Amino acid sequence: MKKYILIISIVSLYFVSCDESFNPFTEFKQDYGVACILRSDTTLQLLSLTKSYPQNSASGSSPIYLFEENADVRIWYQDSVYRLKDTSIYSPETQDTFKYYFSRKFKIDYLKDVELEILLNNGKRLKAYSKTPDAILFKTTSEVLIPPVNKSVVQLYWSSQSQEYYYLPRLRIKCERIINGSKEVFFKELPTRYETINGELKPIFPKPSKNPSIAFQMEAINKFLMDYSNSLTVPSDVTIHQILDFQVITFDAEVSRYISVSNSSSNNLSIRFDEGDYSNISGGLGIFGSQVNTKYTKLRFLENYIRGYNFKFLYDL
């Protein structure tokens, strides 16, 4: 039995979707799946809860997965208990409606105990425990300028007290432009490099790993900015900020174990419910854990470098 739940953006809000594939079975077994990764960068916390049902009563039929409604979902964090409510949202991109439980009342901090308890409609309880990640520290050897002096790569380094965490680094440029008289602020993520895939040059972005460092090729940054400039009718309509947005997402021990066991190779975290994979849900399948975001604010563009691509440039205070 497998179910894939895609957490569409690790940096933005969680929205959960499914891609199901099943093996035939002769005796139906009711299973419950939980997917929840608490976050430090927002008070919006989301949880997916599903149950399996056979499509029909025929022997050998495969199960379908349904959202478990009206469950009592509670999370213990520090000295408070938060009860999550169920809701739904329609996604124009997938033309589907996603259902999940949510709370907007808390966000997590470093090295805190978190507990989950779910009381299902049939009286069954699902439980899980985790501890939020420790802080990371950026090393002084990390780059501070783009382009760097006499270097072909932009390298950034960090350290942590724990050796078991997985990290997902991301480097973005902050942009703004005027649309119908109003300022729009948006971000563009930079690739680490480009690779030829099926005869086409494709950008390659960071993936979760235990490596406490990342290197961005200057050739890739140059190409990205050139392609973006060439895609605009008037590149000077876009202003690029001096300070880049570099952040490292640190996954706690539970999520890190899941990534290690599932050998996830995506920069978006896919959570799969499979009895053979890692799960920390007592009474069910899936994962309950957390992630913390840490920003590095010392990396800056040089003005003449950005203006060389015909963008405007804005110094940050």
Side-chain angles (χ1 to χ4, degrees):
M1 172 202 66
K2 295 180 180 179
K3 178 176 182 196
Y4 297 85
I5 291 189
L6 175 63
I7 308 245
I8 290 180
S9 174
I10 298 227
V11 183
S12 61
L13 305 183
Y14 289 130
F15 294 99
V16 182
S17 66
C18 313
D19 172 22
E20 299 169 329
S21 60
F22 309 106
N23 294 321
F25 62 97
T26 56
E27 182 178 351
F28 172 69
K29 178 185 176 183
Q30 178 74 277
D31 280 311
Y32 295 88
V34 177
C36 179
I37 301 179
L38 302 176
R39 297 173 53 175
S40 67
D41 61 334
T42 177
T43 58
L44 176 61
Q45 312 296 346
L46 302 181
L47 179 144
S48 170
L49 175 61
T50 57
K51 58 186 176 182
S52 58
Y53 271 94
Q55 291 181 333
N56 53 59
S57 58
S59 176
S61 65
S62 59
I64 59 175
Y65 283 80
L66 301 175
F67 179 74
E68 173 76 350
E69 297 179 337
N70 302 317
D72 186 353
V73 180
R74 303 188 185 203
I75 292 177
W76 279 257
Y77 177 68
Q78 294 188 302
D79 296 327
S80 300
V81 181
Y82 300 93
R83 186 172 182 178
L84 279 65
K85 302 177 181 178
D86 57 341
T87 188
S88 62
I89 187 169
Y90 176 76
S91 171
E93 292 184 0
T94 60
Q95 297 184 341
D96 199 0
T97 298
F98 304 113
K99 295 182 178 181
Y100 53 88
Y101 288 84
F102 78 99
S103 171
R104 292 184 180 273
K105 295 184 178 180
F106 72 102
K107 57 183 177 180
I108 60 169
D109 203 349
Y110 302 112
L111 292 177
K112 303 296 183 183
D113 294 329
V114 285
E115 295 183 42
L116 169 70
E117 182 172 311
I118 301 174
L119 178 61
L120 303 172
N121 294 313
N122 61 4
K124 181 181 177 71
R125 291 182 187 272
L126 309 179
K127 295 183 179 181
Y129 164 83
S130 187
K131 193 181 192 70
T132 62
D134 198 355
I136 65 169
L137 295 175
F138 290 103
K139 296 184 177 181
T140 56
T141 50
S142 295
E143 194 58 68
V144 295
L145 291 176
I146 293 181
V149 178
N150 298 323
K151 296 178 184 178
S152 60
V153 294
V154 175
Q155 294 177 296
L156 300 139
Y157 307 89
W158 59 92
S159 62
S160 172
Q161 295 295 322
S162 175
Q163 302 298 315
E164 61 183 343
Y165 297 146
Y166 270 70
Y167 307 101
L168 178 59
R170 303 181 75 206
L171 179 60
R172 304 187 302 171
I173 58 176
K174 184 178 180 181
C175 312
E176 61 182 63
R177 61 189 171 193
I178 303 299
I179 302 293
N180 297 325
S182 299
K183 183 172 73 173
E184 176 192 34
V185 177
F186 58 100
F187 293 85
K188 293 281 188 179
E189 184 175 1
L190 295 173
T192 57
R193 65 190 187 279
Y194 282 80
E195 288 184 2
T196 301
I197 302 174
N198 297 325
E200 187 176 352
L201 203 58
K202 296 282 190 180
I204 304 300
F205 296 93
K207 298 175 182 178
S209 77
K210 280 192 170 184
N211 189 3
S213 66
I214 189 73
F216 294 84
Q217 294 180 1
M218 274 306 304
E219 286 185 353
I221 297 175
N222 295 341
K223 176 174 171 50
F224 182 90
L225 290 171
M226 179 61 73
D227 289 348
Y228 182 39
S229 178
N230 291 339
S231 71
L232 301 171
T233 304
V234 184
S236 59
D237 285 346
V238 173
T239 299
I240 293 182
H241 283 243
Q242 176 192 27
I243 297 178
L244 288 90
D245 176 46
F246 178 71
Q247 59 181 294
V248 175
I249 298 172
T250 306
F251 298 106
D252 71 9
E254 298 294 343
V255 180
S256 294
R257 291 188 192 107
Y258 177 83
I259 296 173
S260 177
V261 170
S262 64
N263 194 25
S264 176
S265 61
S266 172
N267 59 315
N268 285 323
L269 181 61
S270 295
I271 294 182
R272 182 174 70 184
F273 298 150
D274 192 319
E275 291 179 344
D277 289 335
Y278 179 79
S279 171
N280 70 333
I281 306 298
S282 174
L285 299 171
I287 191 73
F288 171 69
S290 59
Q291 67 178 57
V292 294
N293 292 39
T294 308
K295 290 192 174 186
Y296 177 72
T297 58
K298 295 182 179 180
L299 186 59
R300 288 166 162 77
F301 280 126
L302 292 178
E303 180 178 3
N304 60 352
Y305 174 71
I306 291 301
R307 292 194 182 276
Y309 293 99
N310 298 316
F311 297 112
K312 289 181 180 177
F313 183 80
L314 180 62
Y315 281 96
D316 292 300
L317 299 178

